[in-house]
């Protein structure tokens, strides 16, 4: 109900003292209190009733009202039985904090107001739920949601006062209700996506409940309940699955879709919701899944373009034929560009233990998600990305507007590490302990002749990434002209023997004497053998540094003034 409705009932004996502009606030409940600080019992949206017993003098009014305003209550109703007229200091404090203030006539019991509000709120909630269910059914029978997920989420916001967002598995906010207020911070989106993927991989049924606190996310599915003094905001996470993409959910291996399905995040604890409301939210996820399928269908043209170009490249077609196909692709991927841009190739591979699940489709969806430009406008930012897949490998053909780099005149391109910075945690949770995502990025090329080399470059970079440790790894073309390219392919037994021969004597000495020879060696090499710079970095006297380096040479029978020995130590540290 709205605050305004309270003034329409004469039996309540309410008189408005301030806040006329705020009377459209929603009342979600009622609480009676005479505590000086009732904040622990407030959750927002209440009409607070008070007999003013907490007020000893005028100075008490400001902190009391500030506490209510901070908690987000709908309004304050003060009884006249204790003090007669409501003191001016309370009226002024409510005006400062834009909190609607009512006077309750001394002849009216607080129980009368409470009963009326509870009855109205309960009735309207039931009516709202029925209305949403009806709209949901009509939307489901009329086909895809015309305005996208935002339309469906607006129903939750306006009819049930639920703040909700649709998130990608990588933690990108795809849509949110207009009532949801400010966008969710990217860090919270990533945490929610990670928690959802981790819960899905363990086989727990949704919705999954998570509390986001200052120090991180905590799951409520495992016995802890909200309201136990831990604070934070509770979200319920609903999977958005589409049976239109392959087999029915019951017969699919979860790994086939866990990294491509969206999720619905609702700012509420769904553990005590009635079945009707849970069914409603499941229906909402079905509506959003229809929209997801529509967007996937819209990507068909771009995927086909990528497939055609890459088939020409891999089969050694003439550059003129490849260039003609690129001229067709450029207007589709970069409308209004007017000329063929630079191009970049990115190769990704998703591999699962056992090798019985094709990773290509998942890698394709992930690349389309990872490559979305956060600054691009429009309802579907990924409409400028063309990704094909073959087996476990996905290949993205990324057009780059011809904006020259100020140093070398080439188009600035995407960098491997930057692509994964914001999505590493969610994807690692989804890959769990039996999956890997590896990614390689080529340099930008400006002609059809360069695409074949760019594809091979991206594949080599991906193999470098695959030789590293970690569930989510990437490598760029810059690393292919470095010793870094060689190190991952050194056999493990050779690597262990080489590093042990050079570094184990130093490690043993450090353990016994706490001499910090390994950190000293790293700093000395990093400073290119400069005694002064290294001593300054380590906050040592030069003579102390010379003593440590001498000890390193004595223990290893090497000479750090020789380039060959410096290089051996450098490689040993890198391989360790």
């Amino acid at each position: 109900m709205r605050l305004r409705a309270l003034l329409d009932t004469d039996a309540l004996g309410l008189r408005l003292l301030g806040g006329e502009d705020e009377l459209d606030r929603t009342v979600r409940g009622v609480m009676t209190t005479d505590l000086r600080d009732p904040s622990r019992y407030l959750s927002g949206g209440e009409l607070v009733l008070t007999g003013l017993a907490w007020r000893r003098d005028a100075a008490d009014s400001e902190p009391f009202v500030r506490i209510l305003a901070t908690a987000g209550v709908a309004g304050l109703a003060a009884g006249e039985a204790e003090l007669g007229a409501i003191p001016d200091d309370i009226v002024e404090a409510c005006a400062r904090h834009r909190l609607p203030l009512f006077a309750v006539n001394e002849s009216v019991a607080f129980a009368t107001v409470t009963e009326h509000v509870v009855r109205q709120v309960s009735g309207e909630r039931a009516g709202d739920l029925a209305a949403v269910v009806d709209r949901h059914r009509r939307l489901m029978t009329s086909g895809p949601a015309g305005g996208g997920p935002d339309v469906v989420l607006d129903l939750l916001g306006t009819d049930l006062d639920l703040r909700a967002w649709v998130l990608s598995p990588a933690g990108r906010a795809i849509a949110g209700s207009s009532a949801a207020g400010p966008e969710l911070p990217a860090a919270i989106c990533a945490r929610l996506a990670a928690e959802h993927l981790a819960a899905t991989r363990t086989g727990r049924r949704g919705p999954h409940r998570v509390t986001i606190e200052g120090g991180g996310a905590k799951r409520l599915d495992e016995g802890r309940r909200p309201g136990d003094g831990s604070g934070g905001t509770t979200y319920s996470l609903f999977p958005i699955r589409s049976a239109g993409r392959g087999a029915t959910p019951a017969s699919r291996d979860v790994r086939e879709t866990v990294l491509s399905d969206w999720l619905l995040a609702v700012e509420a604890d769904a553990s005590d919701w009635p079945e009707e409301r849970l069914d409603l939210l499941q229906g909402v996820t079905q509506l959003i899944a229809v929209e997801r399928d529509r967007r996937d269908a819209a990507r068909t043209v771009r995927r086909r373009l990528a497939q055609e170009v890459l088939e020409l490249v891999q089969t050694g077609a003439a550059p003129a034929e490849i260039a003609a196909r690129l001229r067709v692709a450029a207007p589709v991927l970069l409308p209004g560009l007017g000329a063929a841009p630079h191009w970049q190739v990115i190769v990704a591979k998703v591999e699962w233990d056992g090798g019985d699940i094709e990773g290509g489709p998942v890698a394709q969806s992930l690349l389309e998600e990872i490559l979305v430009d956060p600054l691009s406008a429009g309802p579907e930012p990924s409409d400028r990305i063309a990704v094909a897949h073959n087996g476990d490998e996905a290949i993205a053909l990324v057009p780059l507007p011809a904006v020259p780099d100020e140093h070398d005149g080439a188009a600035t391109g995407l960098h491997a590490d930057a692509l994964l910075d914001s999505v590493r945690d969610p994807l690692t949770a989804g890959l769990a302990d039996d999956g890997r995502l590896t990614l390689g990025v080529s340099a930008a090329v400006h002609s059809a002749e360069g695409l074949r080399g760019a594809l091979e470059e991206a594949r080599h970079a991906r193999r470098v990434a695959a030789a590293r440790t970690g569930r989510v790894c990437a490598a760029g073309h810059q690393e292919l002209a470095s010793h870094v390219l060689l190190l991952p392919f050194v056999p493990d037994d050779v690597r262990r023997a080489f590093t042990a021969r050079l570094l184990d004597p130093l490690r043993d000495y450090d353990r016994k004497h706490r001499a910090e020879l390994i950190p000293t060696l790293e700093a000395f090499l990093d400073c290119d053998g400069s005694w002064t710079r290294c001593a300054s970095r380590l906050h040592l006297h030069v003579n102390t540094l010379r003593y440590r380096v001498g000890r390193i040479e004595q223990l290893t029978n090497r000479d750090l003034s020789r380039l060959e020995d410096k290089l051996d130590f450098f490689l040993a540290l890198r391989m360790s």
Side-chain angles (χ1 to χ4, degrees), residues 64-80:
F64 181 80
V65 173
R66 183 172 62 250
I67 288 170
L68 299 188
T70 302
V73 305
L76 173 64
E80 295 179 323

Side-chain angles (χ1 to χ4, degrees), residues 197-198 201-202 254-255 258-259 351-354 426-437 470-472:
L197 290 174
R201 286 306 311 275
T202 61
V254 68
R255 294 176 295 178
V258 66
L259 295 177
E351 299 170 284
W352 302 101
D353 290 352
L427 297 185
T428 299
L431 291 163
D433 57 357
D434 60 349
R436 289 198 77 200
L437 166 67
R471 292 289 166 189
V472 180

Side-chain angles (χ1 to χ4, degrees), residues 197-445:
L197 290 174
T200 301
R201 286 306 311 275
T202 61
R204 297 202 308 274
R205 290 187 59 189
H208 311 299
R209 294 174 294 121
V210 177
T211 290
I212 299 291
E213 301 176 358
K218 295 186 179 180
R219 297 178 193 163
L220 296 180
D221 305 68
E222 300 172 352
R224 201 173 65 85
R225 300 281 299 178
D228 61 359
S230 59
T233 303
T234 299
Y235 298 86
S236 295
L237 310 177
F238 295 80
I240 298 173
R241 299 191 178 101
S242 173
R245 286 180 281 139
T248 60
S251 63
R252 274 193 307 220
D253 188 310
V254 68
R255 294 176 295 178
E256 294 181 43
T257 58
V258 66
L259 295 177
S260 56
D261 282 338
W262 291 351
L263 66 132
L264 175 66
V266 181
E267 189 181 302
D269 178 15
S271 61
D272 56 356
W273 281 5
E275 287 297 324
E276 293 86 353
R277 181 168 290 199
L278 288 172
D279 289 344
L280 169 65
L281 266 293
Q282 294 297 342
V284 169
T285 65
Q286 293 173 26
L287 281 174
I288 298 172
V290 171
E291 174 64 16
R292 172 65 190 272
D293 288 342
R294 186 191 66 79
R295 293 191 183 190
D296 278 350
R299 291 176 175 174
T300 302
V301 173
R302 299 190 295 277
R303 289 173 172 176
R304 187 171 65 246
L305 282 173
Q307 194 74 46
E308 291 174 355
V309 171
L310 292 168
E311 284 177 359
L312 291 174
V313 170
Q314 293 183 99
T315 56
E321 187 177 359
I322 299 174
R325 180 54 55 187
L326 287 177
R327 283 194 293 272
V328 173
V332 175
L333 300 176
L334 285 177
L337 187 66
H342 292 75
W343 300 90
Q344 201 166 11
V345 176
I346 299 178
V347 173
K349 195 170 185 179
V350 172
E351 299 170 284
W352 302 101
D353 290 352
D356 55 343
I357 297 175
E358 185 181 9
V362 175
Q364 182 181 46
S365 295
L366 280 182
L367 267 188
E368 289 171 335
E369 172 61 35
I370 292 170
L371 295 175
V372 169
D373 181 357
L375 300 179
S376 59
E380 183 48 70
S382 60
D383 60 3
R384 297 183 175 187
I385 298 162
V387 185
H389 80 83
N390 181 21
D392 288 338
E393 185 181 70
I395 304 169
L397 188 64
V398 182
L400 302 172
V403 179
D405 183 272
E406 60 181 3
H407 299 296
D408 57 15
T412 55
L414 302 170
H415 293 274
D417 288 337
L419 286 174
L420 297 179
D421 279 347
S422 62
V423 301
R424 192 179 304 275
D425 288 346
L427 297 185
T428 299
L431 291 163
D433 57 357
D434 60 349
R436 289 198 77 200
L437 166 67
T438 51
L439 185 145
V441 181
S442 79
V445 296

Side-chain angles (χ1 to χ4, degrees), residues 104 196 264 291 373 532 552:
V104 184
H196 173 75
L264 175 66
E291 174 64 16
D373 181 357
T532 304
I552 292 171

